[in-house]
Structure formats: structure tokens, C-alpha cells
Amino acid sequence: MGEITTKLLVLGGGPGGYVAAIRAGQHGIDTVLVEENRLGGTCLNVGCIPSKAMIHAAEAYHAAVLHAGEASPFGLSAGPPTLDFPRTIAWKDGIVGRLNTGVASLLKRGGVKILRGRGTMVDGKTCLVETDTGPERVRADHVILATGSVPAALPHLPFGGRVISSTEALSLQKVPATMAVVGAGYIGLELGTAFAKLGAKVTVVEMAERILPAYDAELTRPVARRLGALGIEVLLGAKATGLSGDALDIEVGGEPRKIPAEVILVAVGRKARTQDFGLDRLDLDMSGPFIRIDERCATSMRNVWAVGDVTGEPMLAHRAMAQGEMVANLVAGRRRAFHKVAIPAVCFTDPEVVSAGLSPEEARAAGHEIRTGLFPFAANGRAMTLGAEDGFVRVTARADNHLLLGIQAVGAGVSELAAGFGLALEMGARLEDIAGTIHAHPTLGEAFHEANLRALGEALHI
């Protein structure tokens, strides 16, 4: 058995783990990264990146179908399109491969040693890694647990056969004729919408009384309208109960119903990966199913840190990255703490949804007296030129000093506004700060400017 001694061991090569390792390497810290599968974790390989590639391909195909034989509002027409779906999958896989190679190169540049294999913690400083060339024992002064998460399953709909998770949905070799999506959260709606645009008949089954239940209803209404326009049937207050023949069995309104489904995508969330890496051998405090951490991502064991999905919500790659970088800085002797005012969340639905900070309801529940401003894209010149007028930007601020508390948007391409929203909140911007900043014209960002003006009672274009 080989023996490796290092300053830092990172268990898991997803966004939190590989970013921590890269930053540690840049600091000159002797670092070993253990990853059983491909570098980049869920996000890069079977999540964020490939799903956005699929969404883009689906949108392009859908637009071509709409313009086949009938002119668009601006005069574009085309013949009937065809789709080589295996080639679409290959293109998506090529993007993933390029990014995998990029991550590996960055780690190599930082002098990080990568061990490919299953890692199991023996104690708080030792990890046994089963590699293709035999076992390796790694002893480290510091350990970062970045084991991520896995798709949550339903007891009566276990994964297998035609019951798939988002992972398998991104590797299908043909577009199914019918698809049932169990769960109307962001994963289910992103992929369900993409497959509907690719030609599948999609039915969404959701136990809650509305889609995207983690977001406020005002934000989700444009998404619900679009689902209907795409021919996606959404069954709310519905429960999936099992399979029979070629159908999904559900109960809706107390009545049984069968949904024809060649493929059933179960997208009811994700759960922390706390199994199969020796967590039971570590004396860690837990917070429900998650590893408990403090504002420095420190666990209850000295020099054992945890970042990303294994530490709980929000399960977002950019949160994991920020945590991983911070811990690497801490190991390097720098003083850091994780006190983020807001972590933007994005749904890449159609239209897209962005939320940073508090919604109006959350702000009121926190005891704030507020003022809000909402500016519709129907009054935004750039949105008109894109043919994408549905949606809005909304701001929430304290009534007394006008400090921004939350910013939300729904509309085509609003994911690209998320950075500006997060920056405004982190910098402690007030309504007057955004209202007094010149925003380029014509851009979607002007809606952010106008929403702040409207909250001040000084709207210009509405």
C-alpha cells in the first residue's frame, strides 16, 4: 500500500472541491484531490453545464420548427427542420469534455496531486483511496469534505429502466414520444421544457399547489403561462403512486389517473452524499441530513472542513465554489468568514427566473417595512427587439433608508442580470445608488434601473 503525506486533502472533485484545490495550489499548499469519477462533479458532468447545452439546443430547434412554413413577426421563414439527436448529445458531451480538461490543467498548474479512486475516511486525518493501481493511504493536516449530492429517489418509483433521474435524462439517445416529469422544481421544469421543445409530449406532476414552490407566485406566473403555450400539461396537487404498463399512476384531486410515459423523469430534489466515504468514522455534528458547519465551513472536528451540497441548502455550484475558495484561504493562514448577503439562484426555465436576497413577503416576515418597484419588460426596448416582452424586474428595499433587500427577475435572458443583482446587495446599495447609475441603452439591464426609479416614485418609462 502506498503512503502519501500532504498538507491538505480534498475529498471530492466537484465545484467546491476542485476550486478549493486550485486555490490551495496557488498558495503553494501541498494538496491531494481525491475523485472517484470525472472532475467537475455533478454540475460540470451531469448537471448545470450539460443541461444548459440541452436547453440551448432545444430552444434553437423549437424556434426553427415555429418558423417552418410560416413567417415570424420580423419576416423570417424556413423549411421543416430536422434534428440529429445523437449529434446533439455528442456536442453536449464535447463541451463537458473540454471543461473537464480545463479543470485538470488548472489543478496541474497549481501542483495539485489528483488521485482517481474511491476515497474512504479512516479518521479525521487519514483517507484510504482505492485506485486502479492499488490502495493509497493519504495522511493530511487538513481535510475538506466536498462529496456533493445525489438525485433524491421516491420509494415507489426507484430509479431504473424507464424511471430516470436528471443524470440519465441528459444521456438519452433519442427524444421520447411521451415523458412524465415528477416534480415541478427547477430541475424538472428545465428538462421538461427542453424535451417538450424537442418534440416530446410532456406532463408534469407536482404535489404542491403551484410550480417552482420555492419561489414566490408572482415570479412563477410567466413560467406557468409559457408551459401552457408549449403544450405541457401541469398537474398540481398530484401524487405519483407507481407504474402500470406503459403509464405512470398518479392521484389528483383524490382520483386515480394514468399518464402515458415512455420515460419518467423523477426530479424531486437532491440529497447530500453522506454515504460510502466513512462519515460514520468521523465525530461530526450533523444538521439533519447535512454536515454542520460554522461561518468558516469548519466542522466539529479540528481541521476538518466541509463545503457545498453536503452542508445543506442552497445546493448551488457557485455557493460551493465560494466556500471552497474561502477554506483554501483559511488553510493558507488568511482570515476569512462566509457572510454572504445573498446567493443568487437561477432557474433556466422559459422564461428564466433569478432571485437574489429577500422577496417582498420574506422581507415583511423579517419585520421590515418595505417599498417595492416592478418594471415590466413590455416597456423595455431591448426586450421588444428580442421578441421577449413577458416578465419583469422587481426590487424590494427598506422603507426608511432605501437599502436594497432583494432583487428578482423573470424573463428571457435574465440569468445574465444575476451578477449585477448580487453585486448590488453585497455592496449595500440603496435605491438611489442604482437609480443614479447610468445603464446602457438598449439593454435588459435598464429594467433594473427603472425598477429602482419606480420604487422611488420617479419612474421614467412607465
Side-chain angles (χ1 to χ4, degrees):
M1 179 184 296
E3 189 100 10
I4 299 172
T5 301
T6 187
K7 175 76 170 180
L8 174 64
L9 165 69
V10 182
L11 184 59
Y18 84 70
V19 166
I22 288 171
R23 180 63 82 222
Q26 291 171 345
H27 285 315
I29 296 170
D30 190 19
T31 303
V32 173
L33 173 66
V34 176
E35 172 55 51
E36 180 180 2
N37 298 305
R38 301 179 74 186
L39 293 170
T42 294
C43 178
L44 195 160
N45 294 290
V46 292
C48 320
I49 298 300
S51 67
K52 304 314 166 283
M54 288 284 289
I55 288 168
H56 173 70
E59 177 58 32
Y61 177 71
H62 181 67
V65 169
L66 289 180
H67 298 153
E70 182 177 339
S72 69
F74 48 88
L76 174 68
S77 61
T82 59
L83 179 69
D84 183 345
F85 192 63
R87 186 173 176 181
T88 303
I89 297 298
W91 170 74
K92 176 264 295 181
D93 290 343
I95 294 171
V96 171
R98 286 165 56 195
L99 289 171
N100 282 133
T101 301
V103 170
S105 297
L106 291 168
L107 291 164
K108 182 178 180 180
R109 185 189 305 171
V112 176
K113 180 177 178 58
I114 302 170
L115 279 184
R116 305 277 188 167
R118 176 184 290 272
T120 303
M121 298 303 300
V122 177
D123 54 43
K125 291 185 177 298
T126 311
C127 181
L128 184 63
V129 184
E130 295 293 338
T131 74
D132 289 342
T133 57
E136 296 276 359
R137 187 182 298 274
V138 183
R139 300 186 186 276
D141 296 332
H142 293 263
V143 173
I144 298 177
L145 302 175
T147 54
S149 62
V150 296
L154 292 173
H156 46 284
L157 284 175
F159 294 127
R162 60 194 180 98
V163 179
I164 63 174
S165 72
S166 57
T167 299
E168 292 78 32
L170 291 167
S171 298
L172 292 174
Q173 291 303 304
K174 70 182 185 70
V175 178
T178 55
M179 171 181 278
V181 179
V182 181
Y186 75 95
I187 296 174
L189 291 191
E190 284 182 5
L191 292 177
T193 298
F195 277 100
K197 289 179 177 180
L198 290 168
K201 171 58 180 173
V202 176
T203 303
V204 177
V205 178
E206 170 58 52
M207 287 188 66
E209 294 304 320
R210 60 182 182 84
I211 63 170
L212 297 174
Y215 293 80
D216 66 82
E218 190 173 35
L219 281 173
T220 63
R221 288 189 192 107
V223 180
R225 287 195 296 267
R226 183 62 174 148
L227 292 173
L230 289 170
I232 298 174
E233 183 178 15
V234 180
L235 302 174
L236 301 174
K239 179 182 179 181
T241 57
L243 300 177
S244 60
D246 59 356
L248 171 68
D249 293 331
I250 70 168
E251 288 183 5
V252 56
E255 297 294 327
R257 180 173 168 182
K258 294 184 183 298
I259 305 297
E262 183 180 331
V263 169
I264 298 160
L265 169 60
V266 176
V268 294
R270 299 184 64 83
K271 62 179 183 178
R273 186 192 163 220
T274 54
Q275 306 296 317
D276 304 324
F277 72 88
L279 180 63
D280 55 323
R281 301 180 184 180
L282 304 178
D283 186 21
L284 298 182
D285 290 343
M286 303 295 289
S287 179
F290 307 111
I291 297 175
R292 184 188 297 276
I293 56 173
D294 64 11
E295 72 282 357
R296 300 181 309 133
C297 292
T299 70
S300 55
M301 292 183 69
R302 181 177 177 82
N303 291 343
V304 176
W305 318 79
V307 302
D309 290 2
V310 76
T311 66
E313 297 289 353
M315 290 186 176
L316 298 170
H318 41 283
R319 170 181 176 261
M321 290 177 176
Q323 289 177 323
E325 181 187 13
M326 180 193 68
V327 173
N329 286 329
L330 286 165
V331 173
R334 302 187 178 191
R335 296 185 63 182
R336 294 288 189 273
F338 198 78
H339 289 305
K340 300 300 178 186
V341 173
I343 303 174
V346 181
C347 292
F348 290 86
T349 44
D350 180 7
E352 295 174 349
V353 180
V354 175
S355 182
L358 303 178
S359 69
E361 294 79 5
E362 290 169 336
R364 291 189 188 98
H368 296 293
E369 291 188 18
I370 64 171
R371 59 168 62 194
T372 63
L374 183 150
F375 191 82
F377 283 120
N380 176 268
R382 181 56 175 155
M384 293 179 186
T385 66
L386 293 171
E389 300 177 30
D390 202 10
F392 57 83
V393 174
R394 184 187 67 199
V395 299
T396 302
R398 284 177 50 166
D400 55 355
N401 62 7
H402 299 176
L403 178 71
L404 282 168
L405 299 173
I407 311 165
Q408 286 82 33
V410 55
V414 295
S415 57
E416 296 304 325
L417 301 180
F421 294 172
L423 179 63
L425 294 173
E426 288 293 341
M427 295 294 289
R430 302 175 189 272
L431 293 172
E432 291 82 358
D433 295 321
I434 308 303
T437 299
I438 296 175
H439 287 66
H441 174 77
T443 64
L444 297 178
E446 288 180 281
F448 183 30
H449 180 229
E450 290 276 5
N452 283 267
L453 285 172
R454 196 174 189 190
L456 291 168
E458 300 175 0
L460 285 168
H461 290 95
I462 192 171

PDB file of all heavy atoms in Angstrom, residues 159-194:
ATOM      1  N   PHE A 159     -35.201   4.418  -9.172  1.00  0.00           N
ATOM      2  CA  PHE A 159     -34.524   4.619 -10.448  1.00  0.00           C
ATOM      3  C   PHE A 159     -34.179   3.279 -11.088  1.00  0.00           C
ATOM      4  O   PHE A 159     -33.739   2.348 -10.437  1.00  0.00           O
ATOM      5  CB  PHE A 159     -33.254   5.443 -10.266  1.00  0.00           C
ATOM      6  CG  PHE A 159     -33.511   6.853  -9.821  1.00  0.00           C
ATOM      7  CD1 PHE A 159     -32.873   7.373  -8.701  1.00  0.00           C
ATOM      8  CD2 PHE A 159     -34.403   7.663 -10.514  1.00  0.00           C
ATOM      9  CE1 PHE A 159     -33.101   8.670  -8.283  1.00  0.00           C
ATOM     10  CE2 PHE A 159     -34.638   8.972 -10.103  1.00  0.00           C
ATOM     11  CZ  PHE A 159     -33.995   9.469  -8.988  1.00  0.00           C
ATOM     12  N   GLY A 160     -34.383   3.220 -12.390  1.00  0.00           N
ATOM     13  CA  GLY A 160     -34.093   2.007 -13.137  1.00  0.00           C
ATOM     14  C   GLY A 160     -35.071   1.864 -14.279  1.00  0.00           C
ATOM     15  O   GLY A 160     -36.240   2.263 -14.184  1.00  0.00           O
ATOM     16  N   GLY A 161     -34.592   1.317 -15.403  1.00  0.00           N
ATOM     17  CA  GLY A 161     -35.457   1.158 -16.556  1.00  0.00           C
ATOM     18  C   GLY A 161     -35.893   2.510 -17.098  1.00  0.00           C
ATOM     19  O   GLY A 161     -35.072   3.391 -17.354  1.00  0.00           O
ATOM     20  N   ARG A 162     -37.199   2.698 -17.230  1.00  0.00           N
ATOM     21  CA  ARG A 162     -37.686   3.959 -17.781  1.00  0.00           C
ATOM     22  C   ARG A 162     -37.899   5.032 -16.728  1.00  0.00           C
ATOM     23  O   ARG A 162     -38.318   6.146 -17.052  1.00  0.00           O
ATOM     24  CB  ARG A 162     -38.968   3.739 -18.589  1.00  0.00           C
ATOM     25  CG  ARG A 162     -40.132   3.165 -17.816  1.00  0.00           C
ATOM     26  CD  ARG A 162     -41.202   2.674 -18.788  1.00  0.00           C
ATOM     27  NE  ARG A 162     -42.348   2.107 -18.099  1.00  0.00           N
ATOM     28  CZ  ARG A 162     -43.470   2.769 -17.859  1.00  0.00           C
ATOM     29  NH1 ARG A 162     -43.598   4.011 -18.270  1.00  0.00           N
ATOM     30  NH2 ARG A 162     -44.474   2.187 -17.226  1.00  0.00           N
ATOM     31  N   VAL A 163     -37.619   4.714 -15.466  1.00  0.00           N
ATOM     32  CA  VAL A 163     -37.646   5.719 -14.401  1.00  0.00           C
ATOM     33  C   VAL A 163     -36.235   6.247 -14.230  1.00  0.00           C
ATOM     34  O   VAL A 163     -35.325   5.519 -13.831  1.00  0.00           O
ATOM     35  CB  VAL A 163     -38.162   5.131 -13.073  1.00  0.00           C
ATOM     36  CG1 VAL A 163     -38.162   6.195 -11.982  1.00  0.00           C
ATOM     37  CG2 VAL A 163     -39.556   4.548 -13.255  1.00  0.00           C
ATOM     38  N   ILE A 164     -36.038   7.510 -14.582  1.00  0.00           N
ATOM     39  CA  ILE A 164     -34.695   8.060 -14.652  1.00  0.00           C
ATOM     40  C   ILE A 164     -34.562   9.310 -13.797  1.00  0.00           C
ATOM     41  O   ILE A 164     -35.550   9.951 -13.435  1.00  0.00           O
ATOM     42  CB  ILE A 164     -34.305   8.390 -16.114  1.00  0.00           C
ATOM     43  CG1 ILE A 164     -35.221   9.479 -16.680  1.00  0.00           C
ATOM     44  CG2 ILE A 164     -34.356   7.131 -16.980  1.00  0.00           C
ATOM     45  CD1 ILE A 164     -34.823   9.974 -18.067  1.00  0.00           C
ATOM     46  N   SER A 165     -33.321   9.654 -13.497  1.00  0.00           N
ATOM     47  CA  SER A 165     -33.005  10.918 -12.837  1.00  0.00           C
ATOM     48  C   SER A 165     -32.524  11.903 -13.902  1.00  0.00           C
ATOM     49  O   SER A 165     -32.436  11.576 -15.090  1.00  0.00           O
ATOM     50  CB  SER A 165     -31.924  10.715 -11.783  1.00  0.00           C
ATOM     51  OG  SER A 165     -30.663  10.482 -12.393  1.00  0.00           O
ATOM     52  N   SER A 166     -32.171  13.094 -13.473  1.00  0.00           N
ATOM     53  CA  SER A 166     -31.646  14.084 -14.407  1.00  0.00           C
ATOM     54  C   SER A 166     -30.368  13.593 -15.088  1.00  0.00           C
ATOM     55  O   SER A 166     -30.087  13.951 -16.233  1.00  0.00           O
ATOM     56  CB  SER A 166     -31.388  15.404 -13.683  1.00  0.00           C
ATOM     57  OG  SER A 166     -30.496  15.220 -12.580  1.00  0.00           O
ATOM     58  N   THR A 167     -29.598  12.769 -14.393  1.00  0.00           N
ATOM     59  CA  THR A 167     -28.360  12.234 -14.975  1.00  0.00           C
ATOM     60  C   THR A 167     -28.650  11.457 -16.252  1.00  0.00           C
ATOM     61  O   THR A 167     -28.044  11.701 -17.304  1.00  0.00           O
ATOM     62  CB  THR A 167     -27.638  11.331 -13.959  1.00  0.00           C
ATOM     63  OG1 THR A 167     -27.292  12.097 -12.804  1.00  0.00           O
ATOM     64  CG2 THR A 167     -26.378  10.740 -14.573  1.00  0.00           C
ATOM     65  N   GLU A 168     -29.585  10.520 -16.182  1.00  0.00           N
ATOM     66  CA  GLU A 168     -29.912   9.708 -17.357  1.00  0.00           C
ATOM     67  C   GLU A 168     -30.650  10.541 -18.411  1.00  0.00           C
ATOM     68  O   GLU A 168     -30.518  10.293 -19.611  1.00  0.00           O
ATOM     69  CB  GLU A 168     -30.769   8.507 -16.963  1.00  0.00           C
ATOM     70  CG  GLU A 168     -30.059   7.464 -16.115  1.00  0.00           C
ATOM     71  CD  GLU A 168     -29.917   7.867 -14.651  1.00  0.00           C
ATOM     72  OE1 GLU A 168     -30.822   8.576 -14.147  1.00  0.00           O
ATOM     73  OE2 GLU A 168     -28.898   7.500 -14.025  1.00  0.00           O
ATOM     74  N   ALA A 169     -31.430  11.525 -17.972  1.00  0.00           N
ATOM     75  CA  ALA A 169     -32.171  12.364 -18.928  1.00  0.00           C
ATOM     76  C   ALA A 169     -31.226  13.081 -19.875  1.00  0.00           C
ATOM     77  O   ALA A 169     -31.566  13.324 -21.039  1.00  0.00           O
ATOM     78  CB  ALA A 169     -33.035  13.374 -18.180  1.00  0.00           C
ATOM     79  N   LEU A 170     -30.033  13.408 -19.394  1.00  0.00           N
ATOM     80  CA  LEU A 170     -29.066  14.132 -20.214  1.00  0.00           C
ATOM     81  C   LEU A 170     -28.247  13.208 -21.105  1.00  0.00           C
ATOM     82  O   LEU A 170     -27.382  13.678 -21.839  1.00  0.00           O
ATOM     83  CB  LEU A 170     -28.138  14.948 -19.310  1.00  0.00           C
ATOM     84  CG  LEU A 170     -28.816  16.123 -18.599  1.00  0.00           C
ATOM     85  CD1 LEU A 170     -27.936  16.681 -17.508  1.00  0.00           C
ATOM     86  CD2 LEU A 170     -29.188  17.211 -19.596  1.00  0.00           C
ATOM     87  N   SER A 171     -28.520  11.917 -21.035  1.00  0.00           N
ATOM     88  CA  SER A 171     -27.783  10.957 -21.858  1.00  0.00           C
ATOM     89  C   SER A 171     -28.702  10.109 -22.726  1.00  0.00           C
ATOM     90  O   SER A 171     -28.254   9.121 -23.312  1.00  0.00           O
ATOM     91  CB  SER A 171     -26.939  10.043 -20.960  1.00  0.00           C
ATOM     92  OG  SER A 171     -25.982  10.796 -20.235  1.00  0.00           O
ATOM     93  N   LEU A 172     -29.988  10.464 -22.805  1.00  0.00           N
ATOM     94  CA  LEU A 172     -30.899   9.726 -23.673  1.00  0.00           C
ATOM     95  C   LEU A 172     -30.412   9.811 -25.119  1.00  0.00           C
ATOM     96  O   LEU A 172     -29.946  10.856 -25.568  1.00  0.00           O
ATOM     97  CB  LEU A 172     -32.310  10.298 -23.564  1.00  0.00           C
ATOM     98  CG  LEU A 172     -33.028  10.100 -22.222  1.00  0.00           C
ATOM     99  CD1 LEU A 172     -34.350  10.859 -22.218  1.00  0.00           C
ATOM    100  CD2 LEU A 172     -33.269   8.619 -21.945  1.00  0.00           C
ATOM    101  N   GLN A 173     -30.571   8.718 -25.842  1.00  0.00           N
ATOM    102  CA  GLN A 173     -30.104   8.690 -27.224  1.00  0.00           C
ATOM    103  C   GLN A 173     -31.197   9.022 -28.229  1.00  0.00           C
ATOM    104  O   GLN A 173     -30.949   9.128 -29.424  1.00  0.00           O
ATOM    105  CB  GLN A 173     -29.496   7.321 -27.536  1.00  0.00           C
ATOM    106  CG  GLN A 173     -28.189   7.068 -26.818  1.00  0.00           C
ATOM    107  CD  GLN A 173     -27.138   8.136 -27.128  1.00  0.00           C
ATOM    108  OE1 GLN A 173     -26.798   8.376 -28.289  1.00  0.00           O
ATOM    109  NE2 GLN A 173     -26.624   8.790 -26.089  1.00  0.00           N
ATOM    110  N   LYS A 174     -32.412   9.200 -27.740  1.00  0.00           N
ATOM    111  CA  LYS A 174     -33.493   9.669 -28.606  1.00  0.00           C
ATOM    112  C   LYS A 174     -34.497  10.444 -27.767  1.00  0.00           C
ATOM    113  O   LYS A 174     -34.566  10.283 -26.542  1.00  0.00           O
ATOM    114  CB  LYS A 174     -34.177   8.509 -29.324  1.00  0.00           C
ATOM    115  CG  LYS A 174     -35.009   7.593 -28.446  1.00  0.00           C
ATOM    116  CD  LYS A 174     -35.595   6.465 -29.272  1.00  0.00           C
ATOM    117  CE  LYS A 174     -36.540   5.578 -28.456  1.00  0.00           C
ATOM    118  NZ  LYS A 174     -37.801   6.292 -28.108  1.00  0.00           N
ATOM    119  N   VAL A 175     -35.254  11.292 -28.439  1.00  0.00           N
ATOM    120  CA  VAL A 175     -36.281  12.061 -27.755  1.00  0.00           C
ATOM    121  C   VAL A 175     -37.497  11.157 -27.554  1.00  0.00           C
ATOM    122  O   VAL A 175     -38.037  10.614 -28.529  1.00  0.00           O
ATOM    123  CB  VAL A 175     -36.687  13.302 -28.570  1.00  0.00           C
ATOM    124  CG1 VAL A 175     -37.796  14.073 -27.864  1.00  0.00           C
ATOM    125  CG2 VAL A 175     -35.476  14.202 -28.796  1.00  0.00           C
ATOM    126  N   PRO A 176     -37.930  10.945 -26.318  1.00  0.00           N
ATOM    127  CA  PRO A 176     -39.088  10.076 -26.099  1.00  0.00           C
ATOM    128  C   PRO A 176     -40.366  10.708 -26.642  1.00  0.00           C
ATOM    129  O   PRO A 176     -40.497  11.936 -26.668  1.00  0.00           O
ATOM    130  CB  PRO A 176     -39.145   9.931 -24.577  1.00  0.00           C
ATOM    131  CG  PRO A 176     -38.467  11.159 -24.062  1.00  0.00           C
ATOM    132  CD  PRO A 176     -37.402  11.498 -25.056  1.00  0.00           C
ATOM    133  N   ALA A 177     -41.294   9.876 -27.066  1.00  0.00           N
ATOM    134  CA  ALA A 177     -42.569  10.400 -27.558  1.00  0.00           C
ATOM    135  C   ALA A 177     -43.363  11.023 -26.415  1.00  0.00           C
ATOM    136  O   ALA A 177     -44.012  12.065 -26.596  1.00  0.00           O
ATOM    137  CB  ALA A 177     -43.369   9.282 -28.220  1.00  0.00           C
ATOM    138  N   THR A 178     -43.315  10.389 -25.257  1.00  0.00           N
ATOM    139  CA  THR A 178     -44.027  10.891 -24.081  1.00  0.00           C
ATOM    140  C   THR A 178     -43.092  10.868 -22.885  1.00  0.00           C
ATOM    141  O   THR A 178     -42.300   9.946 -22.719  1.00  0.00           O
ATOM    142  CB  THR A 178     -45.274  10.047 -23.773  1.00  0.00           C
ATOM    143  OG1 THR A 178     -44.883   8.666 -23.649  1.00  0.00           O
ATOM    144  CG2 THR A 178     -46.318  10.189 -24.869  1.00  0.00           C
ATOM    145  N   MET A 179     -43.198  11.886 -22.061  1.00  0.00           N
ATOM    146  CA  MET A 179     -42.378  11.976 -20.851  1.00  0.00           C
ATOM    147  C   MET A 179     -43.225  12.517 -19.706  1.00  0.00           C
ATOM    148  O   MET A 179     -43.935  13.525 -19.870  1.00  0.00           O
ATOM    149  CB  MET A 179     -41.168  12.889 -21.071  1.00  0.00           C
ATOM    150  CG  MET A 179     -40.379  13.196 -19.796  1.00  0.00           C
ATOM    151  SD  MET A 179     -38.964  14.307 -20.044  1.00  0.00           S
ATOM    152  CE  MET A 179     -37.732  13.152 -20.633  1.00  0.00           C
ATOM    153  N   ALA A 180     -43.158  11.845 -18.580  1.00  0.00           N
ATOM    154  CA  ALA A 180     -43.764  12.358 -17.351  1.00  0.00           C
ATOM    155  C   ALA A 180     -42.656  12.872 -16.459  1.00  0.00           C
ATOM    156  O   ALA A 180     -41.640  12.192 -16.262  1.00  0.00           O
ATOM    157  CB  ALA A 180     -44.559  11.266 -16.642  1.00  0.00           C
ATOM    158  N   VAL A 181     -42.818  14.069 -15.936  1.00  0.00           N
ATOM    159  CA  VAL A 181     -41.844  14.669 -15.033  1.00  0.00           C
ATOM    160  C   VAL A 181     -42.473  14.758 -13.653  1.00  0.00           C
ATOM    161  O   VAL A 181     -43.499  15.424 -13.470  1.00  0.00           O
ATOM    162  CB  VAL A 181     -41.417  16.073 -15.512  1.00  0.00           C
ATOM    163  CG1 VAL A 181     -40.425  16.687 -14.535  1.00  0.00           C
ATOM    164  CG2 VAL A 181     -40.821  16.003 -16.908  1.00  0.00           C
ATOM    165  N   VAL A 182     -41.884  14.081 -12.697  1.00  0.00           N
ATOM    166  CA  VAL A 182     -42.392  14.112 -11.323  1.00  0.00           C
ATOM    167  C   VAL A 182     -41.594  15.158 -10.561  1.00  0.00           C
ATOM    168  O   VAL A 182     -40.417  14.966 -10.253  1.00  0.00           O
ATOM    169  CB  VAL A 182     -42.275  12.731 -10.656  1.00  0.00           C
ATOM    170  CG1 VAL A 182     -42.841  12.779  -9.236  1.00  0.00           C
ATOM    171  CG2 VAL A 182     -42.990  11.679 -11.483  1.00  0.00           C
ATOM    172  N   GLY A 183     -42.220  16.276 -10.282  1.00  0.00           N
ATOM    173  CA  GLY A 183     -41.555  17.378  -9.594  1.00  0.00           C
ATOM    174  C   GLY A 183     -41.481  18.605 -10.471  1.00  0.00           C
ATOM    175  O   GLY A 183     -40.923  18.554 -11.576  1.00  0.00           O
ATOM    176  N   ALA A 184     -42.062  19.710 -10.003  1.00  0.00           N
ATOM    177  CA  ALA A 184     -42.076  20.959 -10.773  1.00  0.00           C
ATOM    178  C   ALA A 184     -41.134  21.984 -10.175  1.00  0.00           C
ATOM    179  O   ALA A 184     -41.411  23.178 -10.188  1.00  0.00           O
ATOM    180  CB  ALA A 184     -43.495  21.521 -10.863  1.00  0.00           C
ATOM    181  N   GLY A 185     -39.995  21.509  -9.630  1.00  0.00           N
ATOM    182  CA  GLY A 185     -38.931  22.407  -9.227  1.00  0.00           C
ATOM    183  C   GLY A 185     -38.110  22.787 -10.442  1.00  0.00           C
ATOM    184  O   GLY A 185     -38.467  22.489 -11.590  1.00  0.00           O
ATOM    185  N   TYR A 186     -36.959  23.431 -10.182  1.00  0.00           N
ATOM    186  CA  TYR A 186     -36.204  23.946 -11.321  1.00  0.00           C
ATOM    187  C   TYR A 186     -35.643  22.836 -12.210  1.00  0.00           C
ATOM    188  O   TYR A 186     -35.614  22.973 -13.439  1.00  0.00           O
ATOM    189  CB  TYR A 186     -35.102  24.901 -10.853  1.00  0.00           C
ATOM    190  CG  TYR A 186     -33.896  24.254 -10.227  1.00  0.00           C
ATOM    191  CD1 TYR A 186     -32.773  23.963 -10.985  1.00  0.00           C
ATOM    192  CD2 TYR A 186     -33.858  23.943  -8.868  1.00  0.00           C
ATOM    193  CE1 TYR A 186     -31.654  23.371 -10.421  1.00  0.00           C
ATOM    194  CE2 TYR A 186     -32.748  23.351  -8.292  1.00  0.00           C
ATOM    195  CZ  TYR A 186     -31.647  23.069  -9.070  1.00  0.00           C
ATOM    196  OH  TYR A 186     -30.539  22.482  -8.506  1.00  0.00           O
ATOM    197  N   ILE A 187     -35.212  21.716 -11.628  1.00  0.00           N
ATOM    198  CA  ILE A 187     -34.647  20.645 -12.448  1.00  0.00           C
ATOM    199  C   ILE A 187     -35.720  20.051 -13.353  1.00  0.00           C
ATOM    200  O   ILE A 187     -35.526  19.886 -14.563  1.00  0.00           O
ATOM    201  CB  ILE A 187     -34.016  19.553 -11.561  1.00  0.00           C
ATOM    202  CG1 ILE A 187     -32.840  20.111 -10.763  1.00  0.00           C
ATOM    203  CG2 ILE A 187     -33.555  18.372 -12.416  1.00  0.00           C
ATOM    204  CD1 ILE A 187     -32.252  19.134  -9.756  1.00  0.00           C
ATOM    205  N   GLY A 188     -36.869  19.728 -12.799  1.00  0.00           N
ATOM    206  CA  GLY A 188     -37.939  19.131 -13.575  1.00  0.00           C
ATOM    207  C   GLY A 188     -38.438  20.041 -14.685  1.00  0.00           C
ATOM    208  O   GLY A 188     -38.653  19.597 -15.817  1.00  0.00           O
ATOM    209  N   LEU A 189     -38.603  21.333 -14.381  1.00  0.00           N
ATOM    210  CA  LEU A 189     -39.131  22.246 -15.389  1.00  0.00           C
ATOM    211  C   LEU A 189     -38.098  22.588 -16.450  1.00  0.00           C
ATOM    212  O   LEU A 189     -38.442  22.753 -17.628  1.00  0.00           O
ATOM    213  CB  LEU A 189     -39.650  23.522 -14.728  1.00  0.00           C
ATOM    214  CG  LEU A 189     -40.911  23.359 -13.862  1.00  0.00           C
ATOM    215  CD1 LEU A 189     -41.467  24.718 -13.484  1.00  0.00           C
ATOM    216  CD2 LEU A 189     -41.977  22.527 -14.568  1.00  0.00           C
ATOM    217  N   GLU A 190     -36.829  22.720 -16.061  1.00  0.00           N
ATOM    218  CA  GLU A 190     -35.798  22.987 -17.066  1.00  0.00           C
ATOM    219  C   GLU A 190     -35.751  21.859 -18.091  1.00  0.00           C
ATOM    220  O   GLU A 190     -35.804  22.093 -19.307  1.00  0.00           O
ATOM    221  CB  GLU A 190     -34.431  23.134 -16.401  1.00  0.00           C
ATOM    222  CG  GLU A 190     -34.209  24.449 -15.684  1.00  0.00           C
ATOM    223  CD  GLU A 190     -32.812  24.571 -15.087  1.00  0.00           C
ATOM    224  OE1 GLU A 190     -31.970  23.675 -15.310  1.00  0.00           O
ATOM    225  OE2 GLU A 190     -32.580  25.569 -14.391  1.00  0.00           O
ATOM    226  N   LEU A 191     -35.656  20.621 -17.617  1.00  0.00           N
ATOM    227  CA  LEU A 191     -35.518  19.490 -18.532  1.00  0.00           C
ATOM    228  C   LEU A 191     -36.835  19.169 -19.217  1.00  0.00           C
ATOM    229  O   LEU A 191     -36.857  18.827 -20.411  1.00  0.00           O
ATOM    230  CB  LEU A 191     -34.988  18.271 -17.785  1.00  0.00           C
ATOM    231  CG  LEU A 191     -33.542  18.397 -17.287  1.00  0.00           C
ATOM    232  CD1 LEU A 191     -33.134  17.176 -16.486  1.00  0.00           C
ATOM    233  CD2 LEU A 191     -32.588  18.598 -18.457  1.00  0.00           C
ATOM    234  N   GLY A 192     -37.948  19.284 -18.499  1.00  0.00           N
ATOM    235  CA  GLY A 192     -39.247  19.034 -19.113  1.00  0.00           C
ATOM    236  C   GLY A 192     -39.515  19.994 -20.251  1.00  0.00           C
ATOM    237  O   GLY A 192     -40.005  19.608 -21.322  1.00  0.00           O
ATOM    238  N   THR A 193     -39.194  21.274 -20.046  1.00  0.00           N
ATOM    239  CA  THR A 193     -39.376  22.268 -21.100  1.00  0.00           C
ATOM    240  C   THR A 193     -38.482  21.963 -22.299  1.00  0.00           C
ATOM    241  O   THR A 193     -38.915  22.062 -23.457  1.00  0.00           O
ATOM    242  CB  THR A 193     -39.066  23.676 -20.556  1.00  0.00           C
ATOM    243  OG1 THR A 193     -39.973  23.986 -19.498  1.00  0.00           O
ATOM    244  CG2 THR A 193     -39.192  24.721 -21.644  1.00  0.00           C
ATOM    245  N   ALA A 194     -37.235  21.587 -22.034  1.00  0.00           N
ATOM    246  CA  ALA A 194     -36.317  21.269 -23.134  1.00  0.00           C
ATOM    247  C   ALA A 194     -36.847  20.111 -23.970  1.00  0.00           C
ATOM    248  O   ALA A 194     -36.864  20.181 -25.214  1.00  0.00           O
ATOM    249  CB  ALA A 194     -34.936  20.944 -22.582  1.00  0.00           C
TER     250      ALA A 194
END
